[in-house]
Tab-separated table of all heavy atoms in Angstrom:
chain	number	residue	atom	x	y	z
A	105	ILE	N	9.036	-8.924	9.790
A	105	ILE	CA	8.034	-9.833	9.229
A	105	ILE	C	6.988	-10.082	10.303
A	105	ILE	O	7.335	-10.267	11.481
A	105	ILE	CB	8.691	-11.159	8.800
A	105	ILE	CG1	9.744	-10.917	7.717
A	105	ILE	CG2	7.636	-12.168	8.315
A	105	ILE	CD1	10.758	-12.028	7.590
A	106	PHE	N	5.726	-10.096	9.900
A	106	PHE	CA	4.659	-10.420	10.846
A	106	PHE	C	4.006	-11.715	10.392
A	106	PHE	O	3.405	-11.794	9.315
A	106	PHE	CB	3.623	-9.297	10.908
A	106	PHE	CG	2.581	-9.520	11.972
A	106	PHE	CD1	2.866	-9.257	13.303
A	106	PHE	CD2	1.311	-10.000	11.649
A	106	PHE	CE1	1.916	-9.463	14.297
A	106	PHE	CE2	0.349	-10.208	12.629
A	106	PHE	CZ	0.650	-9.935	13.960
A	107	SER	N	4.137	-12.759	11.212
A	107	SER	CA	3.508	-14.040	10.904
A	107	SER	C	3.219	-14.773	12.198
A	107	SER	O	3.935	-14.611	13.184
A	107	SER	CB	4.414	-14.898	9.999
A	107	SER	OG	5.620	-15.231	10.649
A	108	GLN	N	2.147	-15.537	12.190
A	108	GLN	CA	1.710	-16.289	13.373
A	108	GLN	C	1.572	-15.360	14.592
A	108	GLN	O	1.840	-15.764	15.729
A	108	GLN	CB	2.670	-17.447	13.667
A	108	GLN	CG	2.671	-18.500	12.561
A	108	GLN	CD	3.529	-19.693	12.907
A	108	GLN	OE1	4.687	-19.760	12.531
A	108	GLN	NE2	2.957	-20.657	13.634
A	112	THR	N	9.115	-10.805	13.660
A	112	THR	CA	10.495	-11.280	13.615
A	112	THR	C	11.254	-10.405	12.631
A	112	THR	O	10.680	-9.850	11.689
A	112	THR	CB	10.585	-12.748	13.166
A	112	THR	OG1	9.902	-12.903	11.902
A	112	THR	CG2	9.951	-13.669	14.191
A	116	PHE	N	13.758	-13.752	7.305
A	116	PHE	CA	13.095	-14.773	8.099
A	116	PHE	C	14.046	-15.912	8.442
A	116	PHE	O	14.060	-16.404	9.580
A	116	PHE	CB	11.891	-15.302	7.320
A	116	PHE	CG	11.080	-16.333	8.056
A	116	PHE	CD1	10.011	-15.952	8.844
A	116	PHE	CD2	11.377	-17.695	7.947
A	116	PHE	CE1	9.250	-16.901	9.523
A	116	PHE	CE2	10.630	-18.641	8.616
A	116	PHE	CZ	9.565	-18.235	9.408
A	117	GLN	N	14.842	-16.330	7.465
A	117	GLN	CA	15.661	-17.530	7.638
A	117	GLN	C	16.706	-17.381	8.741
A	117	GLN	O	17.178	-18.383	9.280
A	117	GLN	CB	16.345	-17.902	6.319
A	117	GLN	CG	17.129	-16.795	5.639
A	117	GLN	CD	16.287	-15.994	4.679
A	117	GLN	OE1	15.093	-15.827	4.868
A	117	GLN	NE2	16.914	-15.507	3.619
A	120	THR	N	14.146	-16.603	13.443
A	120	THR	CA	12.905	-17.282	13.827
A	120	THR	C	12.621	-17.183	15.320
A	120	THR	O	11.558	-17.614	15.776
A	120	THR	CB	12.955	-18.765	13.412
A	120	THR	OG1	14.141	-19.356	13.940
A	120	THR	CG2	12.949	-18.898	11.891
A	123	LEU	N	8.977	-17.039	17.367
A	123	LEU	CA	7.886	-17.798	16.763
A	123	LEU	C	7.539	-18.993	17.654
A	123	LEU	O	8.301	-19.351	18.562
A	123	LEU	CB	8.302	-18.278	15.367
A	123	LEU	CG	8.403	-17.193	14.295
A	123	LEU	CD1	9.136	-17.719	13.072
A	123	LEU	CD2	7.007	-16.684	13.904
A	124	PRO	N	6.407	-19.630	17.437
A	124	PRO	CA	6.069	-20.817	18.236
A	124	PRO	C	7.190	-21.850	18.163
A	124	PRO	O	7.810	-22.050	17.109
A	124	PRO	CB	4.784	-21.326	17.575
A	124	PRO	CG	4.166	-20.106	16.974
A	124	PRO	CD	5.307	-19.265	16.511
A	125	PRO	N	7.479	-22.524	19.277
A	125	PRO	CA	8.588	-23.495	19.315
A	125	PRO	C	8.532	-24.538	18.205
A	125	PRO	O	9.575	-24.902	17.650
A	125	PRO	CB	8.435	-24.134	20.695
A	125	PRO	CG	7.787	-23.066	21.525
A	125	PRO	CD	6.842	-22.360	20.601
A	126	ALA	N	7.334	-25.004	17.883
A	126	ALA	CA	7.227	-26.024	16.835
A	126	ALA	C	7.665	-25.458	15.478
A	126	ALA	O	8.274	-26.168	14.670
A	126	ALA	CB	5.793	-26.545	16.753
A	127	THR	N	7.349	-24.189	15.218
A	127	THR	CA	7.757	-23.559	13.965
A	127	THR	C	9.269	-23.397	13.913
A	127	THR	O	9.902	-23.666	12.887
A	127	THR	CB	7.074	-22.186	13.810
A	127	THR	OG1	5.659	-22.360	13.770
A	127	THR	CG2	7.523	-21.493	12.534
A	128	ILE	N	9.856	-22.959	15.038
A	128	ILE	CA	11.317	-22.805	15.083
A	128	ILE	C	11.996	-24.144	14.820
A	128	ILE	O	12.938	-24.242	14.015
A	128	ILE	CB	11.757	-22.247	16.445
A	128	ILE	CG1	11.176	-20.843	16.660
A	128	ILE	CG2	13.275	-22.213	16.544
A	128	ILE	CD1	11.433	-20.276	18.039
A	129	ALA	N	11.517	-25.186	15.471
A	129	ALA	CA	12.117	-26.517	15.298
A	129	ALA	C	12.014	-26.979	13.848
A	129	ALA	O	12.976	-27.529	13.276
A	129	ALA	CB	11.433	-27.511	16.233
A	130	GLU	N	10.835	-26.756	13.260
A	130	GLU	CA	10.620	-27.146	11.868
A	130	GLU	C	11.593	-26.416	10.939
A	130	GLU	O	12.188	-27.016	10.034
A	130	GLU	CB	9.169	-26.829	11.480
A	130	GLU	CG	8.840	-27.087	10.026
A	130	GLU	CD	7.464	-26.546	9.650
A	130	GLU	OE1	6.874	-25.758	10.437
A	130	GLU	OE2	6.988	-26.906	8.562
A	131	CYS	N	11.776	-25.120	11.175
A	131	CYS	CA	12.633	-24.317	10.300
A	131	CYS	C	14.104	-24.668	10.469
A	131	CYS	O	14.837	-24.838	9.487
A	131	CYS	CB	12.409	-22.830	10.582
A	131	CYS	SG	10.783	-22.213	10.079
A	132	VAL	N	14.555	-24.793	11.715
A	132	VAL	CA	15.969	-25.090	11.953
A	132	VAL	C	16.314	-26.500	11.482
A	132	VAL	O	17.337	-26.726	10.815
A	132	VAL	CB	16.325	-24.893	13.437
A	132	VAL	CG1	17.751	-25.375	13.709
A	132	VAL	CG2	16.174	-23.439	13.832
A	155	SER	N	14.454	-23.161	-3.282
A	155	SER	CA	14.210	-22.708	-1.915
A	155	SER	C	14.250	-23.884	-0.944
A	155	SER	O	14.862	-23.798	0.132
A	155	SER	CB	12.860	-21.989	-1.827
A	155	SER	OG	12.594	-21.563	-0.513
A	159	PHE	N	16.987	-23.615	1.814
A	159	PHE	CA	16.519	-23.230	3.152
A	159	PHE	C	15.809	-24.346	3.899
A	159	PHE	O	15.583	-24.233	5.113
A	159	PHE	CB	15.574	-22.024	3.048
A	159	PHE	CG	16.209	-20.817	2.420
A	159	PHE	CD1	15.769	-20.339	1.195
A	159	PHE	CD2	17.242	-20.149	3.054
A	159	PHE	CE1	16.339	-19.227	0.614
A	159	PHE	CE2	17.826	-19.027	2.492
A	159	PHE	CZ	17.380	-18.570	1.262
A	160	GLY	N	15.410	-25.383	3.200
A	160	GLY	CA	14.671	-26.461	3.835
A	160	GLY	C	13.176	-26.277	3.715
A	160	GLY	O	12.672	-25.203	3.371
A	161	ASP	N	12.445	-27.341	4.038
A	161	ASP	CA	10.995	-27.319	3.890
A	161	ASP	C	10.321	-26.350	4.857
A	161	ASP	O	9.334	-25.697	4.515
A	161	ASP	CB	10.423	-28.723	4.100
A	161	ASP	CG	10.781	-29.670	2.959
A	161	ASP	OD1	11.069	-29.179	1.851
A	161	ASP	OD2	10.778	-30.895	3.187
A	162	GLY	N	10.835	-26.237	6.090
A	162	GLY	CA	10.174	-25.398	7.089
A	162	GLY	C	10.202	-23.934	6.721
A	162	GLY	O	9.158	-23.247	6.714
A	163	ILE	N	11.361	-23.388	6.424
A	163	ILE	CA	11.483	-21.972	6.051
A	163	ILE	C	10.722	-21.693	4.760
A	163	ILE	O	10.073	-20.651	4.613
A	163	ILE	CB	12.974	-21.586	5.932
A	163	ILE	CG1	13.616	-21.606	7.320
A	163	ILE	CG2	13.141	-20.232	5.272
A	163	ILE	CD1	15.128	-21.459	7.312
A	164	THR	N	10.783	-22.655	3.841
A	164	THR	CA	10.038	-22.481	2.590
A	164	THR	C	8.543	-22.420	2.859
A	164	THR	O	7.834	-21.559	2.319
A	164	THR	CB	10.366	-23.632	1.617
A	164	THR	OG1	11.764	-23.587	1.302
A	164	THR	CG2	9.554	-23.520	0.338
A	165	ARG	N	8.057	-23.322	3.698
A	165	ARG	CA	6.610	-23.372	3.961
A	165	ARG	C	6.141	-22.175	4.763
A	165	ARG	O	5.052	-21.634	4.505
A	165	ARG	CB	6.263	-24.662	4.707
A	165	ARG	CG	4.756	-24.849	4.929
A	165	ARG	CD	4.467	-26.268	5.354
A	165	ARG	NE	4.742	-26.485	6.753
A	165	ARG	CZ	3.820	-26.314	7.724
A	165	ARG	NH1	2.600	-25.907	7.410
A	165	ARG	NH2	4.135	-26.573	8.971
A	166	ARG	N	6.963	-21.710	5.702
A	166	ARG	CA	6.521	-20.649	6.614
A	166	ARG	C	6.693	-19.246	6.039
A	166	ARG	O	5.970	-18.334	6.434
A	166	ARG	CB	7.289	-20.753	7.938
A	166	ARG	CG	7.007	-22.020	8.721
A	166	ARG	CD	5.573	-22.061	9.189
A	166	ARG	NE	5.308	-23.280	9.967
A	166	ARG	CZ	4.149	-23.536	10.557
A	166	ARG	NH1	3.153	-22.663	10.432
A	166	ARG	NH2	3.969	-24.645	11.236
A	167	PHE	N	7.655	-19.072	5.121
A	167	PHE	CA	7.837	-17.720	4.591
A	167	PHE	C	8.085	-17.690	3.083
A	167	PHE	O	7.370	-17.005	2.360
A	167	PHE	CB	8.989	-17.000	5.297
A	167	PHE	CG	9.184	-15.596	4.769
A	167	PHE	CD1	8.328	-14.576	5.145
A	167	PHE	CD2	10.204	-15.303	3.873
A	167	PHE	CE1	8.472	-13.295	4.631
A	167	PHE	CE2	10.358	-14.024	3.351
A	167	PHE	CZ	9.493	-13.016	3.746
A	168	MET	N	9.080	-18.395	2.606
A	168	MET	CA	9.494	-18.238	1.214
A	168	MET	C	8.354	-18.479	0.225
A	168	MET	O	8.159	-17.702	-0.709
A	168	MET	CB	10.658	-19.184	0.901
A	168	MET	CG	11.961	-18.776	1.538
A	168	MET	SD	12.577	-17.212	0.871
A	168	MET	CE	13.942	-16.925	2.002
A	169	ARG	N	7.600	-19.547	0.471
A	169	ARG	CA	6.527	-19.843	-0.482
A	169	ARG	C	5.346	-18.883	-0.341
A	169	ARG	O	4.945	-18.259	-1.351
A	169	ARG	CB	6.067	-21.290	-0.323
A	169	ARG	CG	5.040	-21.682	-1.363
A	169	ARG	CD	4.769	-23.171	-1.394
A	169	ARG	NE	4.017	-23.541	-2.572
A	169	ARG	CZ	3.821	-24.794	-2.962
A	169	ARG	NH1	4.360	-25.796	-2.270
A	169	ARG	NH2	3.125	-25.050	-4.054
A	170	PRO	N	4.783	-18.691	0.841
A	170	PRO	CA	3.605	-17.813	0.909
A	170	PRO	C	3.919	-16.370	0.529
A	170	PRO	O	3.125	-15.722	-0.170
A	170	PRO	CB	3.137	-17.939	2.354
A	170	PRO	CG	4.325	-18.434	3.114
A	170	PRO	CD	5.080	-19.299	2.153
A	171	TYR	N	5.069	-15.857	0.960
A	171	TYR	CA	5.367	-14.462	0.645
A	171	TYR	C	5.602	-14.273	-0.853
A	171	TYR	O	5.047	-13.361	-1.481
A	171	TYR	CB	6.590	-13.956	1.417
A	171	TYR	CG	6.918	-12.543	1.027
A	171	TYR	CD1	6.166	-11.474	1.516
A	171	TYR	CD2	7.928	-12.269	0.110
A	171	TYR	CE1	6.419	-10.178	1.110
A	171	TYR	CE2	8.187	-10.972	-0.300
A	171	TYR	CZ	7.431	-9.927	0.208
A	171	TYR	OH	7.680	-8.633	-0.209
A	172	ASN	N	6.415	-15.131	-1.440
A	172	ASN	CA	6.743	-14.937	-2.849
A	172	ASN	C	5.563	-15.223	-3.771
A	172	ASN	O	5.424	-14.575	-4.820
A	172	ASN	CB	7.957	-15.778	-3.228
A	172	ASN	CG	9.245	-15.138	-2.764
A	172	ASN	OD1	9.665	-14.116	-3.308
A	172	ASN	ND2	9.864	-15.694	-1.737
A	323	TYR	N	4.192	-9.138	5.143
A	323	TYR	CA	3.031	-9.910	5.598
A	323	TYR	C	2.836	-11.105	4.665
A	323	TYR	O	2.172	-11.008	3.636
A	323	TYR	CB	1.780	-9.033	5.606
A	323	TYR	CG	1.801	-7.998	6.714
A	323	TYR	CD1	2.405	-6.756	6.525
A	323	TYR	CD2	1.244	-8.287	7.961
A	323	TYR	CE1	2.439	-5.818	7.551
A	323	TYR	CE2	1.277	-7.347	8.989
A	323	TYR	CZ	1.878	-6.119	8.772
A	323	TYR	OH	1.926	-5.202	9.797
A	324	PRO	N	3.402	-12.267	4.998
A	324	PRO	CA	3.302	-13.423	4.103
A	324	PRO	C	1.946	-14.126	4.133
A	324	PRO	O	1.621	-14.857	3.191
A	324	PRO	CB	4.405	-14.356	4.610
A	324	PRO	CG	4.544	-14.008	6.065
A	324	PRO	CD	4.292	-12.529	6.147
A	325	GLU	N	1.153	-13.911	5.189
A	325	GLU	CA	-0.073	-14.698	5.355
A	325	GLU	C	-1.223	-14.158	4.502
A	325	GLU	O	-1.387	-12.954	4.316
A	325	GLU	CB	-0.466	-14.711	6.835
A	325	GLU	CG	0.562	-15.434	7.692
A	325	GLU	CD	0.350	-15.257	9.185
A	325	GLU	OE1	-0.379	-14.320	9.578
A	325	GLU	OE2	0.904	-16.052	9.958
A	326	LYS	N	-2.046	-15.081	4.020
A	326	LYS	CA	-3.152	-14.715	3.138
A	326	LYS	C	-4.207	-13.871	3.829
A	326	LYS	O	-4.986	-13.172	3.169
A	326	LYS	CB	-3.810	-15.980	2.570
A	326	LYS	CG	-2.944	-16.724	1.569
A	326	LYS	CD	-3.674	-17.937	1.012
A	326	LYS	CE	-2.820	-18.671	-0.007
A	326	LYS	NZ	-3.525	-19.873	-0.566
Side-chain angles (χ1 to χ4, degrees):
I105 299 159
F106 186 78
S107 63
Q108 295 185 265
T112 54
F116 182 91
Q117 52 270 31
T120 53
L123 289 166
T127 298
I128 297 174
E130 176 189 13
C131 291
V132 173
S155 179
F159 301 114
D161 290 337
I163 291 171
T164 298
R165 184 166 79 91
R166 295 295 181 176
F167 180 77
M168 288 294 172
R169 185 169 193 169
Y171 177 77
N172 282 289
Y323 289 87
E325 295 169 342
K326 290 182 179 180

